[in-house]
Amino acid sequence: MASGTELTSNSYLQHHLQNLVLGKLPEGYERAGGHIVEHSSWTFAHSPQEALDMGFWSLNVDTMGWSIFLGMIFCFFFYRVAKKVESGAPSGFANLIEMTVEFVNKNVNDIMTVKNPLIGPLALTIFIWITLMNTMDIVPVDLLPLIAQFVTGNEHLYFKVVPTTDPNITFGLSLGVFILIIYYSIKMKGVGGFIGELAFQPFGKYMIPFNLILEGIGLLAKPVSLALRLFGNLYAGELIFLLIATLIGSALPYFIGTIFGGALQFVWAVFHILIILLQAFVFMMLTIVYLAMAHEHH
Amino acid sequence: MNFNATLIGQLVTFAIFVWFTMKFVWPMLLKQMEERETRIADGLAAAEQGQKDFAEAQEKSSAEINKGKEQAATIIAQAQKRHDEIVDEAKDDAKAESDRIKENALSEIEQEKEKARQELRNQVAALAIAGAEQILMKEVDQAAHNEVLAKISQQL
């Protein structure tokens, strides 16, 4: 493979894996083009390094935007069905939504020993929202970025469309779950009960430091594993789509790369449907299980 | 993996969507589904009840029909019996009537016979007297011979 092609596919990958970041650059910062920022101002990052230098108070406009948009789609359609008083048999779409609700409700009721009106809506939101966000992976990798570049007129625009390939999004979700785990642990068992659970298990009161380390890791592992599992699966899936996409434009004789790459994209997309649903399901189930554990006394 | 405010943004968005679902979506959908479930169960029960009622009605009607048939049969049998009785009665009556008529006729005939015989007797007696007069060529004293004549007419 020629070095030029390598560089192209490398920059192609890097470009696709960079979020569109809105943030504040400090005064005197030298931008990617050599331009020096005179006044500290809010702007979009032009390179991964710039995005990094914007620090914590910057926003991934693309993934955040898609996340909110997809969440609103979820709310809109479910609200429309929920609002409509169906007298007779439900129509096709309402049926699909009711099937989903029934499925989630059944899982919640099977796992939860304590009734909690929050868990059902929470599980439903997680399941549908993550499914929708994951489904963005099926959209051809270059389609939406190209449209965005065309619309804005900026051909170097960063644009990631799959929110769950952004760790900020997955950790945002798992952090919410983590807060609920701690909230319900303390609500159901009291502060003492919660700390006692951390301190006196599994080896009794003479091993408190060891217990604390063990249980603390176990507790922290919940949100981290939730977020990383989802992120890892989707990020890897996205990366494979991108790698196959580079094959299409590779040094192979033109039509071989295109046909082979196109076929591989299709095969991977079909396989990816499984991952999309499975990861959304796993996230939901683990959320329910963790919250059920938070409600129970050990 | 650089973390930034998107994390907080997602956390807040998450909370808002969960709140929305909890407030406006989940309870309504569950309620709706429960209502439909009960309605379907009611409908099925009603259908079953209707079927049961129908079967009962069918049974009842067939029993009624059987009863009617039986009644009709008894009525027909009774009618048959009555018919036979009437026929028998009529036969008896007719026979009695015919017997009576026959008897009457017979007695009449007897009377007529008796009358005819009496007449004949008288005529024979007169003839006999006339014959005897002819033979004797003289008047027979009827009074004197009445006894004889009576005797003869008695023998006739």
Side-chain angles (χ1 to χ4, degrees):
Chain A
M1 209 182 263
S3 65
T5 320
E6 207 169 61
L7 193 71
T8 314
S9 55
N10 190 17
S11 62
Y12 171 82
L13 285 180
Q14 273 189 352
H15 192 272
H16 265 283
L17 295 176
Q18 175 58 42
N19 282 105
L20 176 64
V21 182
L22 176 69
K24 203 172 183 181
L25 285 173
E27 212 175 311
Y29 184 84
E30 192 185 336
R31 301 207 65 164
H35 173 71
I36 296 194
V37 180
E38 287 171 16
H39 299 290
S40 168
S41 61
W42 286 88
T43 180
F44 286 109
H46 288 174
S47 72
Q49 189 53 48
E50 273 187 33
L52 211 60
D53 291 338
M54 282 171 175
F56 183 78
W57 291 108
S58 54
L59 195 70
N60 295 347
V61 177
D62 47 2
T63 46
M64 191 72 251
W66 278 110
S67 165
I68 292 172
F69 174 68
L70 293 167
M72 278 162 76
I73 284 181
F74 152 69
C75 284
F76 172 71
F77 281 110
F78 275 68
Y79 178 65
R80 236 183 51 171
V81 171
K83 201 177 60 174
K84 215 186 300 169
V85 182
E86 290 258 9
S87 51
S91 58
F93 186 67
N95 224 334
L96 181 73
I97 281 177
E98 286 185 9
M99 252 167 64
T100 320
V101 170
E102 204 171 359
F103 167 72
V104 172
N105 193 32
K106 189 178 164 291
N107 279 319
V108 170
N109 288 339
D110 283 352
I111 297 168
M112 290 293 292
T113 47
V114 190
K115 274 252 172 248
N116 185 338
L118 176 72
I119 310 296
L122 178 76
L124 181 72
T125 309
I126 285 175
F127 183 58
I128 302 298
W129 198 13
I130 291 180
T131 303
L132 287 175
M133 289 196 285
N134 290 354
T135 307
M136 294 306 291
D137 223 357
I138 295 287
V139 180
V141 277
D142 278 315
L143 183 66
L144 291 172
L146 279 177
I147 290 173
Q149 283 163 14
F150 180 76
V151 168
T152 57
N154 177 5
E155 59 187 65
H156 295 297
L157 186 77
Y158 295 117
F159 203 64
K160 271 180 91 170
V161 296
V162 192
T164 37
T165 57
D166 180 357
N168 285 302
I169 300 293
T170 61
F171 270 98
L173 288 170
S174 73
L175 210 59
V177 175
F178 185 58
I179 289 168
L180 286 176
I181 290 173
I182 291 177
Y183 172 72
Y184 281 114
S185 291
I186 292 173
K187 194 186 171 195
M188 303 302 285
K189 302 160 207 170
V191 181
F194 177 54
I195 292 173
E197 216 163 66
L198 290 180
F200 300 124
Q201 277 181 359
F203 294 121
K205 57 184 171 180
Y206 300 111
M207 298 274 274
I208 285 176
F210 187 69
N211 289 343
L212 269 177
I213 291 170
L214 209 63
E215 288 289 311
I217 289 172
L219 185 67
L220 287 176
K222 286 172 183 175
V224 172
S225 70
L226 265 183
L228 282 185
R229 181 184 303 107
L230 182 61
F231 164 70
N233 272 283
L234 270 293
Y235 189 80
E238 176 82 343
L239 204 57
I240 289 173
F241 274 122
L242 290 171
L243 286 171
I244 297 170
T246 62
L247 190 69
I248 294 175
S250 72
L252 285 167
Y254 188 65
F255 58 93
I256 294 177
T258 308
I259 293 169
F260 189 57
L264 272 181
Q265 287 282 39
F266 175 74
V267 170
W268 181 242
V270 170
F271 179 66
H272 208 64
I273 293 171
L274 182 73
I275 295 171
I276 285 167
L277 285 170
L278 191 71
Q279 287 308 317
F281 175 68
V282 166
F283 201 110
M284 178 195 79
M285 288 303 276
L286 286 177
T287 301
I288 302 171
V289 169
Y290 290 158
L291 286 173
M293 279 162 68
H295 281 73
E296 283 160 9
H297 294 265
H298 294 289
Chain B
M1 273 191 27
N2 49 329
F3 285 104
N4 56 29
T6 311
L7 186 71
I8 294 164
Q10 176 70 6
L11 189 59
V12 173
T13 315
F14 185 37
I16 291 170
F17 284 143
V18 170
W19 170 81
F20 183 86
T21 311
M22 194 172 150
K23 197 88 185 165
F24 299 112
V25 176
W26 184 264
M28 285 74 190
L29 276 173
L30 276 195
K31 205 180 117 207
Q32 206 172 295
M33 280 155 66
E34 256 164 42
E35 272 173 12
R36 186 174 310 115
E37 220 165 82
T38 51
R39 201 159 46 223
I40 288 171
D42 287 354
L44 285 176
E48 210 165 294
Q49 185 59 40
Q51 232 160 11
K52 230 167 74 185
D53 286 354
F54 176 67
E56 250 169 45
Q58 231 173 4
E59 221 166 86
K60 220 169 162 182
S61 76
S62 71
E64 207 71 15
I65 287 170
N66 280 346
K67 213 165 108 189
K69 270 184 189 162
E70 260 168 44
Q71 264 176 350
T74 41
I75 286 170
I76 287 170
Q78 273 175 350
Q80 191 70 41
K81 211 170 128 199
R82 185 85 190 104
H83 166 252
D84 289 350
E85 273 173 14
I86 289 169
V87 168
D88 284 351
E89 238 168 67
K91 262 188 200 160
D92 288 351
D93 281 359
K95 197 145 184 293
E97 186 66 17
S98 77
D99 283 356
R100 203 170 54 79
I101 289 168
K102 214 159 87 189
E103 229 152 85
N104 277 356
L106 279 176
S107 67
E108 223 162 279
I109 288 166
E110 204 63 38
Q111 273 172 14
E112 285 299 311
K113 216 164 94 186
E114 203 57 40
K115 218 163 124 191
R117 194 177 275 162
Q118 200 59 44
E119 225 158 89
L120 269 174
R121 216 177 267 153
N122 291 345
Q123 275 175 5
V124 168
L127 269 176
I129 290 167
E133 266 177 359
Q134 291 282 314
I135 296 164
L136 294 174
M137 287 298 192
K138 78 171 205 195
E139 193 103 3
V140 175
D141 185 9
Q142 196 137 16
H145 301 290
N146 255 357
E147 201 178 327
V148 178
L149 285 174
K151 226 178 203 173
I152 293 166
S153 72
Q154 211 73 54
Q155 279 170 348
L156 280 171

Coordinates of all heavy atoms in Angstrom, one line a residue, chain A residues 44-116:
Chain A
F44 N -15.8 26.2 17.7 CA -15.7 24.8 17.5 C -14.2 24.4 17.3 O -13.4 25.2 16.7 CB -16.4 24.4 16.2 CG -17.9 24.5 16.3 CD1 -18.7 25.4 15.7 CD2 -18.5 23.5 17.1 CE1 -20.0 25.5 15.9 CE2 -19.9 23.5 17.3 CZ -20.7 24.5 16.7
A45 N -13.8 23.3 17.8 CA -12.5 22.8 17.7 C -12.2 22.4 16.3 O -13.0 21.8 15.6 CB -12.2 21.6 18.6
H46 N -11.0 22.7 15.8 CA -10.6 22.4 14.4 C -9.7 21.2 14.4 O -9.3 20.7 13.3 CB -9.9 23.6 13.8 CG -10.9 24.7 13.4 ND1 -10.5 25.9 12.9 CD2 -12.2 24.7 13.5 CE1 -11.6 26.6 12.7 NE2 -12.7 25.9 13.1
S47 N -9.3 20.7 15.6 CA -8.4 19.5 15.6 C -8.6 18.8 16.9 O -9.1 19.4 17.9 CB -6.9 19.9 15.5 OG -6.5 20.5 16.7
P48 N -8.3 17.5 17.0 CA -8.4 16.8 18.2 C -7.7 17.4 19.4 O -8.1 17.5 20.5 CB -7.8 15.4 17.9 CG -8.0 15.2 16.4 CD -7.9 16.6 15.8
Q49 N -6.5 18.0 19.0 CA -5.7 18.6 20.1 C -6.4 19.8 20.6 O -6.5 20.1 21.8 CB -4.3 19.1 19.5 CG -3.3 19.5 20.5 CD -3.2 18.5 21.7 OE1 -3.0 17.3 21.4 NE2 -3.3 19.0 22.9
E50 N -7.1 20.6 19.7 CA -7.8 21.8 20.2 C -9.0 21.3 21.1 O -9.3 21.9 22.1 CB -8.4 22.5 19.0 CG -7.5 23.5 18.4 CD -8.2 24.3 17.3 OE1 -9.4 24.6 17.4 OE2 -7.5 24.7 16.4
A51 N -9.7 20.2 20.7 CA -10.8 19.8 21.5 C -10.3 19.4 22.9 O -11.0 19.6 23.9 CB -11.4 18.5 20.8
L52 N -9.1 18.8 22.9 CA -8.6 18.4 24.2 C -8.2 19.6 25.0 O -8.5 19.6 26.3 CB -7.3 17.5 23.9 CG -7.0 16.4 24.9 CD1 -8.2 15.4 25.0 CD2 -5.7 15.7 24.5
D53 N -7.7 20.6 24.4 CA -7.2 21.8 25.1 C -8.4 22.6 25.6 O -8.2 23.6 26.4 CB -6.3 22.6 24.2 CG -5.0 21.9 24.0 OD1 -4.7 21.0 24.8 OD2 -4.3 22.2 23.0
M54 N -9.6 22.4 25.1 CA -10.8 23.1 25.6 C -11.2 22.8 27.0 O -12.0 23.5 27.6 CB -12.0 22.9 24.7 CG -11.8 23.7 23.4 SD -13.1 23.3 22.2 CE -12.8 24.5 20.9
G55 N -10.6 21.6 27.5 CA -10.9 21.3 28.8 C -12.2 20.7 29.1 O -12.9 20.3 28.1
F56 N -12.6 20.6 30.3 CA -13.9 19.9 30.6 C -15.1 20.7 30.2 O -16.1 20.1 29.7 CB -14.0 19.7 32.2 CG -15.2 18.9 32.6 CD1 -15.3 17.6 32.4 CD2 -16.3 19.6 33.1 CE1 -16.4 16.9 32.7 CE2 -17.5 18.9 33.4 CZ -17.5 17.5 33.2
W57 N -15.1 22.0 30.2 CA -16.3 22.8 29.9 C -16.4 23.1 28.4 O -16.4 24.2 27.9 CB -16.3 24.1 30.7 CG -16.5 23.8 32.1 CD1 -15.6 23.9 33.1 CD2 -17.7 23.3 32.7 NE1 -16.1 23.5 34.3 CE2 -17.4 23.1 34.1 CE3 -19.0 22.9 32.2 CZ2 -18.4 22.6 35.0 CZ3 -19.9 22.4 33.1 CH2 -19.6 22.3 34.5
S58 N -16.5 21.9 27.7 CA -16.8 22.0 26.3 C -17.8 20.9 26.0 O -18.0 20.0 26.8 CB -15.5 21.7 25.5 OG -14.9 20.5 25.9
L59 N -18.5 21.1 24.8 CA -19.6 20.2 24.6 C -19.4 19.5 23.2 O -19.1 20.1 22.2 CB -20.9 21.1 24.5 CG -22.2 20.3 24.6 CD1 -22.4 19.7 26.0 CD2 -23.3 21.2 24.3
N60 N -19.7 18.2 23.2 CA -19.7 17.5 22.0 C -21.1 17.7 21.3 O -22.1 17.0 21.6 CB -19.5 16.0 22.2 CG -18.2 15.6 22.8 OD1 -17.3 16.5 22.8 ND2 -18.0 14.4 23.3
V61 N -21.1 18.7 20.5 CA -22.4 19.2 19.9 C -23.1 18.1 19.1 O -24.3 17.9 19.2 CB -22.2 20.4 19.0 CG1 -23.5 20.9 18.4 CG2 -21.6 21.5 19.9
D62 N -22.3 17.3 18.3 CA -22.9 16.3 17.5 C -23.5 15.2 18.2 O -24.7 14.9 18.0 CB -21.8 15.8 16.5 CG -20.5 15.4 17.1 OD1 -20.4 15.5 18.4 OD2 -19.6 15.0 16.4
T63 N -22.8 14.5 19.1 CA -23.4 13.3 19.8 C -24.5 13.8 20.8 O -25.5 13.2 20.9 CB -22.3 12.5 20.6 OG1 -21.5 13.4 21.3 CG2 -21.5 11.7 19.6
M64 N -24.2 14.9 21.4 CA -25.2 15.5 22.4 C -26.5 15.8 21.6 O -27.6 15.4 22.0 CB -24.7 16.8 23.0 CG -25.5 17.3 24.2 SD -25.4 16.3 25.6 CE -26.9 15.6 25.7
G65 N -26.4 16.4 20.4 CA -27.5 16.8 19.6 C -28.3 15.6 19.1 O -29.5 15.5 19.3
W66 N -27.6 14.6 18.6 CA -28.2 13.4 18.2 C -28.9 12.6 19.3 O -30.0 12.1 19.2 CB -27.3 12.4 17.5 CG -27.0 12.8 16.1 CD1 -25.9 13.3 15.5 CD2 -28.0 12.7 15.0 NE1 -26.1 13.6 14.2 CE2 -27.4 13.2 13.8 CE3 -29.3 12.3 14.9 CZ2 -28.0 13.3 12.6 CZ3 -30.0 12.3 13.7 CH2 -29.3 12.8 12.5
S67 N -28.2 12.6 20.5 CA -28.8 12.0 21.7 C -30.1 12.6 22.1 O -31.1 12.0 22.3 CB -27.8 12.1 22.8 OG -28.4 11.8 24.0
I68 N -30.1 14.0 22.1 CA -31.4 14.7 22.5 C -32.4 14.5 21.4 O -33.6 14.2 21.7 CB -31.1 16.2 22.7 CG1 -30.2 16.4 23.9 CG2 -32.4 17.0 22.8 CD1 -29.7 17.8 24.1
F69 N -32.0 14.6 20.1 CA -33.0 14.4 19.0 C -33.6 13.0 19.1 O -34.9 12.9 19.0 CB -32.2 14.6 17.7 CG -33.1 14.3 16.5 CD1 -34.1 15.1 16.2 CD2 -32.8 13.2 15.7 CE1 -34.9 14.9 15.1 CE2 -33.6 12.9 14.6 CZ -34.6 13.8 14.3
L70 N -32.8 12.0 19.3 CA -33.4 10.6 19.3 C -34.2 10.4 20.6 O -35.3 9.7 20.5 CB -32.2 9.6 19.3 CG -31.5 9.6 18.0 CD1 -30.2 8.8 18.1 CD2 -32.3 9.0 16.9
G71 N -33.8 11.0 21.7 CA -34.6 10.9 22.9 C -36.0 11.6 22.7 O -37.0 11.1 23.1
M72 N -36.0 12.7 21.9 CA -37.2 13.4 21.7 C -38.1 12.5 20.7 O -39.3 12.5 20.9 CB -37.0 14.8 21.1 CG -36.6 15.8 22.2 SD -35.8 17.2 21.6 CE -37.2 18.1 20.8
I73 N -37.5 11.9 19.8 CA -38.3 11.0 18.9 C -38.9 9.9 19.7 O -40.1 9.6 19.6 CB -37.3 10.3 17.9 CG1 -37.0 11.3 16.8 CG2 -38.0 9.1 17.2 CD1 -36.1 10.8 15.7
F74 N -38.2 9.3 20.6 CA -38.7 8.3 21.5 C -39.9 8.9 22.3 O -41.0 8.3 22.3 CB -37.6 7.8 22.5 CG -38.1 7.3 23.8 CD1 -38.8 6.1 23.9 CD2 -37.8 8.0 25.0 CE1 -39.3 5.7 25.1 CE2 -38.3 7.6 26.2 CZ -39.0 6.4 26.3
C75 N -39.7 10.0 22.9 CA -40.8 10.6 23.8 C -42.0 10.9 22.9 O -43.1 10.7 23.3 CB -40.3 11.9 24.4 SG -39.3 11.5 25.8
F76 N -41.7 11.5 21.7 CA -42.8 11.9 20.8 C -43.7 10.8 20.5 O -44.9 10.8 20.6 CB -42.3 12.6 19.6 CG -43.3 12.9 18.5 CD1 -44.2 13.9 18.7 CD2 -43.3 12.2 17.4 CE1 -45.2 14.2 17.8 CE2 -44.3 12.4 16.4 CZ -45.2 13.5 16.6
F77 N -43.1 9.7 20.0 CA -43.9 8.6 19.5 C -44.6 7.8 20.6 O -45.8 7.5 20.5 CB -43.1 7.6 18.7 CG -42.8 8.1 17.3 CD1 -41.6 8.5 16.9 CD2 -43.9 8.2 16.3 CE1 -41.3 9.0 15.6 CE2 -43.6 8.7 15.1 CZ -42.4 9.1 14.7
F78 N -43.9 7.7 21.7 CA -44.5 7.0 22.8 C -45.6 7.8 23.5 O -46.7 7.3 23.8 CB -43.5 6.6 23.9 CG -42.8 5.3 23.6 CD1 -42.0 5.1 22.5 CD2 -43.1 4.1 24.3 CE1 -41.4 3.9 22.1 CE2 -42.5 2.9 24.0 CZ -41.6 2.8 22.9
Y79 N -45.4 9.1 23.5 CA -46.4 10.0 24.1 C -47.7 10.0 23.2 O -48.8 10.0 23.7 CB -45.9 11.4 24.2 CG -46.9 12.4 24.7 CD1 -47.4 12.3 26.0 CD2 -47.4 13.5 24.0 CE1 -48.3 13.1 26.5 CE2 -48.3 14.3 24.5 CZ -48.8 14.2 25.8 OH -49.7 15.0 26.2
R80 N -47.4 10.0 21.9 CA -48.6 10.0 21.0 C -49.5 8.8 21.1 O -50.7 8.9 21.2 CB -48.1 10.1 19.5 CG -48.7 11.3 18.8 CD -48.3 11.3 17.3 NE -48.5 10.0 16.7 CZ -48.4 9.9 15.4 NH1 -48.0 10.9 14.6 NH2 -48.6 8.7 14.8
V81 N -48.8 7.6 21.3 CA -49.6 6.4 21.5 C -50.2 6.4 22.9 O -51.4 5.9 23.0 CB -48.7 5.2 21.3 CG1 -49.4 3.9 21.7 CG2 -48.2 5.1 19.8
A82 N -49.5 6.9 23.9 CA -50.0 6.8 25.2 C -51.2 7.8 25.4 O -52.1 7.5 26.1 CB -48.9 7.3 26.2
K83 N -51.2 8.9 24.6 CA -52.2 9.9 24.8 C -53.5 9.4 24.1 O -54.6 9.7 24.6 CB -51.8 11.2 24.1 CG -52.5 12.4 24.6 CD -51.9 13.7 23.9 CE -52.1 13.6 22.4 NZ -51.6 14.8 21.7
K84 N -53.4 8.7 23.0 CA -54.5 8.3 22.2 C -55.3 7.2 23.0 O -54.7 6.2 23.4 CB -54.1 7.7 20.9 CG -55.1 8.0 19.8 CD -54.8 7.3 18.5 CE -53.4 7.8 18.0 NZ -52.9 7.0 16.8
V85 N -56.6 7.4 23.2 CA -57.4 6.4 23.9 C -57.8 5.4 22.8 O -58.7 5.7 22.0 CB -58.5 7.0 24.6 CG1 -59.3 5.9 25.3 CG2 -58.1 8.0 25.6
E86 N -57.2 4.2 22.9 CA -57.6 3.2 21.9 C -58.8 2.4 22.4 O -58.7 1.8 23.4 CB -56.4 2.3 21.6 CG -55.2 3.0 20.9 CD -55.2 2.6 19.5 OE1 -56.1 2.0 19.0 OE2 -54.2 3.0 18.8
S87 N -59.9 2.5 21.6 CA -61.0 1.8 22.1 C -61.0 0.3 21.6 O -61.3 -0.6 22.4 CB -62.3 2.4 21.6 OG -62.2 2.6 20.2
G88 N -60.6 0.1 20.4 CA -60.6 -1.2 19.9 C -59.2 -1.9 19.8 O -58.4 -1.6 20.7
A89 N -58.9 -2.7 18.8 CA -57.6 -3.3 18.7 C -56.6 -2.2 18.3 O -56.9 -1.3 17.5 CB -57.7 -4.4 17.6
P90 N -55.4 -2.3 18.8 CA -54.4 -1.3 18.5 C -53.9 -1.5 17.1 O -53.8 -2.6 16.6 CB -53.3 -1.5 19.5 CG -53.4 -2.9 19.9 CD -54.9 -3.3 19.8
S91 N -53.5 -0.4 16.4 CA -53.0 -0.5 15.1 C -51.5 -0.9 15.1 O -50.9 -1.1 16.2 CB -53.1 0.8 14.3 OG -52.4 1.8 15.1
G92 N -50.9 -1.1 14.0 CA -49.5 -1.7 13.9 C -48.5 -1.0 14.8 O -47.9 -1.7 15.6
F93 N -48.4 0.3 14.7 CA -47.4 1.0 15.4 C -47.6 1.0 16.9 O -46.7 0.7 17.7 CB -47.2 2.4 14.9 CG -46.1 3.2 15.5 CD1 -44.8 2.8 15.2 CD2 -46.3 4.2 16.3 CE1 -43.7 3.4 15.7 CE2 -45.2 4.9 16.9 CZ -43.9 4.5 16.6
A94 N -48.9 1.2 17.2 CA -49.2 1.2 18.7 C -49.0 -0.2 19.3 O -48.5 -0.3 20.4 CB -50.7 1.6 18.8
N95 N -49.2 -1.2 18.4 CA -49.0 -2.5 18.8 C -47.5 -2.8 19.2 O -47.2 -3.4 20.2 CB -49.4 -3.5 17.7 CG -50.1 -4.6 18.2 OD1 -50.0 -5.0 19.3 ND2 -50.9 -5.2 17.3
L96 N -46.6 -2.2 18.3 CA -45.2 -2.4 18.5 C -44.8 -1.7 19.8 O -44.0 -2.3 20.6 CB -44.5 -1.7 17.3 CG -42.9 -1.8 17.4 CD1 -42.5 -3.2 17.1 CD2 -42.3 -0.8 16.4
I97 N -45.3 -0.5 20.0 CA -44.9 0.2 21.3 C -45.5 -0.5 22.5 O -44.8 -0.7 23.5 CB -45.5 1.7 21.2 CG1 -44.5 2.5 20.3 CG2 -45.6 2.3 22.5 CD1 -45.0 3.9 20.0
E98 N -46.7 -1.0 22.4 CA -47.3 -1.7 23.6 C -46.5 -3.0 23.8 O -46.3 -3.4 25.0 CB -48.7 -2.0 23.3 CG -49.6 -0.7 23.5 CD -51.0 -1.0 23.4 OE1 -51.4 -2.2 23.3 OE2 -51.8 0.0 23.3
M99 N -46.1 -3.6 22.7 CA -45.3 -4.9 22.9 C -44.0 -4.6 23.7 O -43.6 -5.3 24.6 CB -44.9 -5.5 21.5 CG -45.7 -6.7 21.2 SD -45.5 -7.1 19.5 CE -43.8 -7.4 19.3
T100 N -43.3 -3.5 23.3 CA -42.1 -3.1 23.9 C -42.4 -2.8 25.4 O -41.6 -3.2 26.3 CB -41.5 -1.8 23.3 OG1 -41.7 -1.9 21.9 CG2 -40.1 -1.6 23.6
V101 N -43.4 -2.0 25.7 CA -43.7 -1.7 27.1 C -44.0 -2.9 27.9 O -43.5 -3.1 29.0 CB -44.9 -0.7 27.1 CG1 -45.4 -0.6 28.5 CG2 -44.6 0.6 26.5
E102 N -44.7 -3.9 27.2 CA -45.1 -5.1 28.0 C -43.8 -5.9 28.3 O -43.7 -6.5 29.3 CB -46.1 -5.9 27.1 CG -46.9 -6.8 27.9 CD -48.0 -7.5 27.1 OE1 -48.1 -7.1 25.9 OE2 -48.7 -8.3 27.6
F103 N -42.9 -5.9 27.3 CA -41.7 -6.7 27.4 C -40.8 -6.1 28.6 O -40.4 -6.8 29.4 CB -40.9 -6.6 26.1 CG -39.5 -7.0 26.1 CD1 -39.1 -8.3 26.3 CD2 -38.5 -6.0 26.0 CE1 -37.8 -8.7 26.3 CE2 -37.1 -6.4 26.1 CZ -36.8 -7.7 26.2
V104 N -40.7 -4.8 28.6 CA -39.9 -4.1 29.6 C -40.6 -4.3 31.0 O -40.0 -4.7 32.0 CB -39.8 -2.6 29.3 CG1 -39.2 -1.9 30.5 CG2 -39.0 -2.4 28.1
N105 N -41.9 -4.2 31.0 CA -42.7 -4.3 32.2 C -42.5 -5.7 32.8 O -42.4 -5.9 34.0 CB -44.1 -4.0 32.0 CG -44.9 -3.8 33.3 OD1 -44.4 -3.3 34.2 ND2 -46.2 -4.2 33.2
K106 N -42.5 -6.7 31.9 CA -42.4 -8.1 32.4 C -41.0 -8.3 33.0 O -40.9 -8.9 34.1 CB -42.6 -9.0 31.2 CG -42.7 -10.5 31.6 CD -42.9 -11.3 30.3 CE -42.7 -12.8 30.6 NZ -41.2 -13.0 30.9
N107 N -40.0 -7.8 32.4 CA -38.7 -7.9 32.9 C -38.5 -7.2 34.3 O -37.9 -7.8 35.2 CB -37.6 -7.3 31.9 CG -37.3 -8.3 30.8 OD1 -37.2 -9.5 31.1 ND2 -37.2 -7.8 29.6
V108 N -39.1 -6.0 34.3 CA -39.0 -5.3 35.6 C -39.7 -6.1 36.7 O -39.2 -6.2 37.8 CB -39.7 -3.9 35.4 CG1 -39.8 -3.2 36.8 CG2 -38.8 -3.0 34.5
N109 N -40.9 -6.5 36.4 CA -41.7 -7.3 37.4 C -41.0 -8.6 37.8 O -41.2 -9.0 39.0 CB -43.1 -7.5 36.9 CG -43.9 -6.3 36.9 OD1 -43.6 -5.3 37.6 ND2 -45.0 -6.3 36.1
D110 N -40.3 -9.2 36.9 CA -39.7 -10.5 37.2 C -38.5 -10.2 38.1 O -38.2 -11.1 39.0 CB -39.2 -11.1 35.9 CG -40.3 -11.8 35.1 OD1 -41.4 -11.9 35.7 OD2 -40.1 -12.2 34.0
I111 N -37.8 -9.1 37.9 CA -36.6 -8.9 38.7 C -36.8 -8.2 40.0 O -36.3 -8.5 41.0 CB -35.5 -8.2 37.8 CG1 -35.2 -9.0 36.6 CG2 -34.3 -7.9 38.6 CD1 -34.4 -8.3 35.6
M112 N -37.7 -7.2 39.9 CA -37.9 -6.3 41.1 C -38.8 -7.1 42.1 O -39.8 -7.5 41.8 CB -38.5 -5.0 40.8 CG -37.7 -4.1 40.0 SD -36.3 -3.4 40.9 CE -37.2 -2.4 42.1
T113 N -38.3 -7.1 43.4 CA -39.2 -7.7 44.4 C -40.0 -6.6 45.1 O -41.0 -6.8 45.7 CB -38.3 -8.4 45.5 OG1 -37.2 -7.5 45.9 CG2 -37.7 -9.7 45.0
V114 N -39.5 -5.3 45.0 CA -40.2 -4.2 45.6 C -40.8 -3.4 44.5 O -40.2 -3.2 43.4 CB -39.2 -3.3 46.4 CG1 -39.9 -2.3 47.2 CG2 -38.3 -4.1 47.3
K115 N -42.0 -2.9 44.7 CA -42.6 -2.0 43.7 C -42.0 -0.7 43.7 O -41.9 -0.1 44.8 CB -44.2 -2.0 43.9 CG -44.9 -3.1 43.3 CD -45.7 -2.6 42.1 CE -46.3 -3.8 41.4 NZ -45.8 -3.9 40.1
N116 N -41.6 -0.2 42.6 CA -41.1 1.2 42.5 C -41.5 1.7 41.1 O -41.1 1.2 40.1 CB -39.6 1.2 42.6 CG -39.0 2.6 42.6 OD1 -39.6 3.5 42.2 ND2 -37.8 2.7 43.2

